[in-house]
Amino acid sequence: MKQTILTSALIPICCLFFSSVYAQDSDNGLKEFHAFPQVLGHAQTKLAETLEELNYNASLHPGHTDRNTGLWDTRFLKRSEWTSGFFAGTLWYMYQLTGETQWKDYAKEWTEDLESTANLNIDHDTGFRISSSFGNAYQLIQGQYYQRIMLRAANTLAQRYDPKIGAIKSWDWIGNFPVIIDNLMNLELLFWNAENSGNSEWYNIALSHAETSLKHHMRPDGTSYHIVDFDDSGNVNWKGTRQGYGPNSVWARGQAWAIYGFTMIYRYTGKEKFLDAAIRAADYFIDNLPDDFVPIYDFLEPVTTVQSKDASASAIAASALFEIYEFTNNARYFNSAVNILNSLSSEQFMSVNSDISSILKQSTLHRGHGNVGTSYADYYFLEAIIRYRKIKQAEFPRIGSQSVFYLDQNFPNPFNNTTQIFYSIENSGEVEISIYNSAGRKIRQLVNTYLPAGSYRLDFDASGLSSGVYLYVLRSNGQSVTRKMTLIK
Ligand code: GLY
């Protein structure tokens, strides 16, 4: 779908930005982030330019920019990349911040293109791909379709759990059973789905992984290992980092994942040990930040020639620090997050007056590959801004929840006599659901009525039909969608 981006809301950016970078404290001791209008304008411009750069092709999902051209690196636009959900998520955040339907329409397209990744069992990143896209879709427009895909994704991620080790296997291509600190982030998919489906097994898996990670990734001083590799009995083979400097160094983004991950785990479990771990990790991060509040990609990198900054680490940490503030009411965490936001809004880190396609620049993928923009730095930057504005009780545009036109795969499938079909209707209207046999003959009409927009469940009883493959078709308002079901008697 191609649409013209509204530019009327865009705010001219230039030097006026940055008078507020080192903002004064307000009366209650909480710092202010004044650059919001300028950042919003800049972010809209960059998102609009990215849509054009992608030729409005929703199967392309930006990961990071090319160091030479500043454009999104075309080798990393695939659905299967760990980063594929972030652009969709950033579009959702833009919709939340502006209430403009164009952002919602694009967000839906880029999200729905990722549906197949809910079944992709190649690594732990199912959580990143699906929570940032479908998770935000569900938060904002409540379509049952989005929830169904989240459930599917949780099921996929849970398959990577090994009870002997008490962890989810992060990668299949290195070591024996590698578990990386980033994996904490993906537990949210399990916690959220457990809470919303009543499947306590997912909660138990996520909790067990969190405990294993707390025990083996975290050092007493609050710093974290990137990778812990386990043998088949759960003993540690090796600990270290691939993306940071060295075995005992402190990879900055890993540290940010630890802060964010343990805070989120505390949100779902209420267990103080996780909040304590998050605070220890946050204290190290804050205490070791340079004057511009953006770390070198590894806090312990000693070689001056590879000292690239990682804005993504600060964006992730800022978002998490706002949540720590909400749990602790300690202004240190709020003000540290605002310091980061103010710095990221400066010309040093925001891609103002430049051809770089991302909103933020100066992130590092891994040692030796710095100075890029990333879709995740942009995503967590906007998320942090949303969290700031919520704490400050700023106004958000009113967003009506909205359904989508969707027909789910029946469950169970194959089935013996009874199965459930979930579907949703975007606009109120006449709705028909019919069953066809493999010869294309209509054999049952299950729904034929006027329905308001919304989500529905249908219980189908196939008594009287013989075993075989059947098609079921949903039609409404000139749209139709067909799926197959298999009856086995
Ligand atoms: N989760 C991969 C990274 O942070 O680079």
Side-chain angles (χ1 to χ4, degrees):
M1 176 181 65
K2 181 158 175 151
Q3 288 183 17
T4 308
I5 292 285
L6 296 176
T7 48
S8 56
L10 305 189
I11 292 158
I13 316 165
C14 67
C15 24
L16 57 84
F17 252 108
F18 309 108
S19 54
S20 61
V21 165
Y22 300 103
Q24 299 300 307
D25 290 6
S26 63
D27 289 346
N28 58 6
L30 297 184
K31 290 196 171 190
E32 301 281 342
F33 168 58
H34 291 295
F36 174 66
Q38 292 85 0
V39 172
L40 187 66
H42 171 70
Q44 288 182 87
T45 302
K46 287 295 168 182
L47 290 181
E49 286 173 4
T50 292
L51 289 164
E52 267 189 66
E53 187 179 324
L54 301 175
N55 216 5
Y56 299 89
N57 179 344
S59 70
L60 304 177
H61 303 274
H64 61 84
T65 60
D66 181 301
R67 276 184 292 190
N68 299 318
T69 64
L71 300 174
W72 293 109
D73 191 326
T74 51
R75 294 167 302 166
F76 295 89
L77 300 171
K78 294 190 285 296
R79 296 182 186 104
S80 56
E81 296 292 340
W82 78 273
T83 47
S84 62
F86 292 118
F87 182 65
T90 306
L91 292 168
W92 284 119
Y93 285 153
M94 190 51 82
Y95 175 48
Q96 195 172 353
L97 286 165
T98 63
E100 290 174 9
T101 52
Q102 58 175 344
W103 299 117
K104 179 189 69 183
D105 293 342
Y106 288 124
K108 280 171 65 174
E109 276 193 83
W110 262 262
T111 294
E112 290 168 23
D113 183 73
L114 292 173
E115 179 182 320
S116 61
T117 70
N119 299 329
L120 190 67
N121 186 354
I122 53 170
D123 53 34
H124 68 117
D125 292 316
T126 310
F128 279 122
R129 294 185 197 97
I130 295 292
S131 295
S132 45
S133 53
F134 283 84
N136 280 306
Y138 185 73
Q139 293 301 329
L140 288 178
I141 64 176
Q142 305 285 301
Q144 196 170 25
Y145 159 59
Y146 300 112
Q147 189 180 13
R148 299 289 294 167
I149 301 305
M150 296 263 280
L151 286 172
R152 241 179 250 172
N155 194 41
T156 302
L157 183 59
Q159 289 167 27
R160 300 185 66 81
Y161 177 72
D162 184 330
K164 285 200 301 303
I165 294 167
I168 289 164
K169 187 177 183 186
S170 303
W171 294 329
D172 293 340
W173 47 273
I174 181 182
N176 182 61
F177 193 103
V179 180
I180 67 171
I181 190 73
D182 327 24
N183 203 143
L184 292 175
M185 300 293 289
N186 294 320
L187 303 182
E188 181 155 18
L189 184 66
L190 298 176
F191 280 128
W192 188 88
N193 278 292
E195 205 165 86
N196 286 276
S197 72
N199 182 342
S200 59
E201 196 192 328
W202 288 337
Y203 177 94
N204 294 336
I205 288 174
L207 178 59
S208 161
H209 181 109
E211 282 172 339
T212 302
S213 192
L214 179 58
K215 182 169 168 199
H216 292 291
H217 280 106
M218 301 310 290
R219 305 184 185 104
D221 65 355
T223 62
S224 53
Y225 287 98
H226 174 207
I227 308 174
V228 181
D229 188 45
F230 295 94
D231 70 16
D232 291 346
S233 315
N235 303 310
V236 174
N237 276 337
W238 178 80
K239 292 186 183 196
T241 166
R242 277 177 69 88
Q243 289 172 239
Y245 166 65
N248 291 310
S249 68
V250 185
W251 175 46
R253 191 160 60 254
Q255 195 65 14
W257 293 138
I259 303 168
Y260 194 120
F262 284 122
T263 310
M264 173 274 295
I265 292 161
Y266 174 70
R267 186 194 329 142
Y268 282 98
T269 65
K271 293 186 190 300
E272 293 288 338
K273 62 183 174 186
F274 295 123
L275 184 58
D276 292 347
I279 289 173
R280 280 198 304 279
D283 285 342
Y284 179 92
F285 195 96
I286 294 166
D287 291 344
N288 289 281
L289 282 175
D291 290 347
D292 60 12
F293 304 105
V294 175
I296 302 296
Y297 82 99
D298 188 310
F299 283 102
L300 301 183
E301 168 66 68
V303 181
T304 49
T305 49
V306 278
Q307 292 210 334
S308 55
K309 293 265 175 190
D310 189 4
S312 76
S314 280
I316 296 158
S319 185
L321 291 171
F322 284 126
E323 188 165 27
I324 293 182
Y325 166 73
E326 291 195 282
F327 289 134
T328 60
N329 220 18
N330 183 338
R332 165 176 162 80
Y333 301 107
F334 185 92
N335 288 339
S336 298
V338 173
N339 286 340
I340 291 172
L341 286 190
N342 283 329
S343 180
L344 292 179
S345 308
S346 73
E347 282 193 73
Q348 189 183 349
F349 296 107
M350 208 150 68
S351 60
V352 263
N353 304 322
S354 96
D355 292 337
I356 296 171
S357 300
S358 51
I359 299 166
L360 292 178
K361 52 189 186 179
Q362 299 278 350
S363 289
T364 295
L365 304 183
H366 51 75
R367 188 171 202 261
H369 196 139
N371 202 12
V372 295
T374 66
S375 54
Y376 40 100
D378 293 356
Y379 174 84
Y380 289 103
F381 183 43
L382 292 199
E383 182 182 275
I385 290 170
I386 288 171
R387 288 181 171 187
Y388 167 88
R389 289 177 64 74
K390 283 188 175 160
I391 293 170
K392 288 283 187 175
Q393 299 181 334
E395 276 202 17
F396 282 84
R398 191 185 289 272
I399 295 173
S401 72
Q402 189 198 304
S403 219
V404 292
F405 183 71
Y406 176 66
L407 179 64
D408 197 22
Q409 185 64 53
N410 61 304
F411 182 83
N413 186 51
F415 67 105
N416 181 357
N417 274 358
T418 56
T419 190
Q420 290 175 349
I421 300 171
F422 287 88
Y423 61 100
S424 58
I425 308 297
E426 187 163 4
N427 301 306
S428 306
E430 293 297 329
V431 176
E432 183 198 343
I433 297 182
S434 296
I435 310 273
Y436 295 78
N437 65 16
S438 51
R441 194 162 58 82
K442 189 194 281 195
I443 51 165
R444 296 263 175 98
Q445 190 171 58
L446 306 180
V447 177
N448 185 20
T449 188
Y450 179 92
L451 288 175
S455 296
Y456 300 92
R457 186 181 109 180
L458 177 68
D459 292 309
F460 174 48
D461 185 345
S463 304
L465 297 181
S466 50
S467 293
V469 174
Y470 294 87
L471 301 176
Y472 58 108
V473 183
L474 166 68
R475 293 191 186 86
S476 182
N477 291 307
Q479 291 176 285
S480 80
V481 56
T482 303
R483 284 192 183 269
K484 273 185 201 164
M485 57 169 72
T486 304
L487 174 61
I488 298 178
K489 298 215 164 182

